[in-house]
Amino acid sequence: ERGELPEMTRPENLGEIVQAACLAHDIGNPPFGHAGESALQDWFRDPVNNERYLSELTEPQKADFKSFDGNAQGFRVVTAIENHKDNGGLRLTYPTLATLVKYPRSAYDAMGDGSSKFNFYQSEKGTFDAIFTTLGLKDAHRYHRHPLSYLAEAADDICYRIIDMEDALELNLITLS
């Protein structure tokens, strides 16, 4: 009603963007979830493997391996890996890709902030930058979350709570009543 949506955008498109981002949310998670992430991180942090496989990389590139994360791998899958015959990516819209992003920074930047969460690897930095610049979500110092990413995050939290309750019911930790 206030006319704040971009031209050619209908209100229901916002829900479609959030739905698509939610469907792609966990696409980059390794087997065994967070434990799988930790296993990959530990393997690349091992001095022998670090020297053998990472010695010729830049520090930001090394950070990508030492801090493997399903969020960044998911961004890679939907922008570069999947559908590789056409140069990769699922051809999602910029708003959908930005909505998928919960931690708009690289592994190297996250390490500098004392954080372990990030959403892109150096190999996808150009794509990430193009998306966030085009959408006006980048300033001179950092990237900013897309407003719809908060809805995708809330949906993920709700799903986890429901699954936790289902698990507790199956394990007889709680009753239906």
Side-chain angles (χ1 to χ4, degrees), residues 2-134:
R2 295 188 318 214
E4 294 180 14
L5 290 176
E7 190 175 316
M8 304 284 295
T9 304
R10 299 180 325 274
E12 57 268 22
N13 295 142
L14 301 179
E16 294 163 349
I17 291 168
V18 173
Q19 288 174 2
C22 286
L23 287 170
H25 168 70
D26 285 332
I27 201 168
N29 287 354
F32 309 108
H34 294 302
E37 288 175 338
S38 294
L40 289 165
Q41 293 165 6
D42 290 346
W43 195 86
F44 280 109
R45 288 178 183 164
D46 179 278
V48 173
N49 295 329
N50 188 341
E51 177 60 32
R52 183 172 182 185
Y53 298 105
L54 307 181
S55 62
E56 295 183 23
L57 301 179
T58 66
E59 288 306 313
Q61 290 169 330
K62 289 178 184 180
D64 290 349
F65 287 94
K66 294 177 180 181
S67 303
F68 179 89
D69 187 89
N71 293 308
Q73 184 66 13
F75 188 79
R76 173 181 281 165
V77 168
V78 300
T79 60
I81 294 177
E82 192 59 39
N83 199 22
H84 186 66
K85 70 178 184 68
D86 294 322
N87 297 322
L90 296 177
R91 307 296 188 269
L92 300 174
T93 64
Y94 278 13
T96 301
L97 292 168
T99 299
L100 175 65
V101 172
K102 185 175 178 181
Y103 308 102
R105 58 184 171 259
S106 70
Y108 188 71
D109 293 335
M111 289 172 72
D113 293 341
S115 175
S116 63
K117 298 310 242 176
F118 59 96
N119 249 113
F120 70 90
Y121 294 120
Q122 295 302 307
S123 55
E124 284 74 49
K125 185 176 185 354
T127 301
F128 196 91
D129 193 62
I131 293 166
F132 280 73
T133 299
T134 300

Side-chain angles (χ1 to χ4, degrees), residues 165-176:
M165 295 300 287
E166 288 176 345
D167 289 347
L169 185 63
E170 285 182 23
L171 294 169
N172 295 317
L173 298 174
I174 62 171
T175 65
L176 192 55

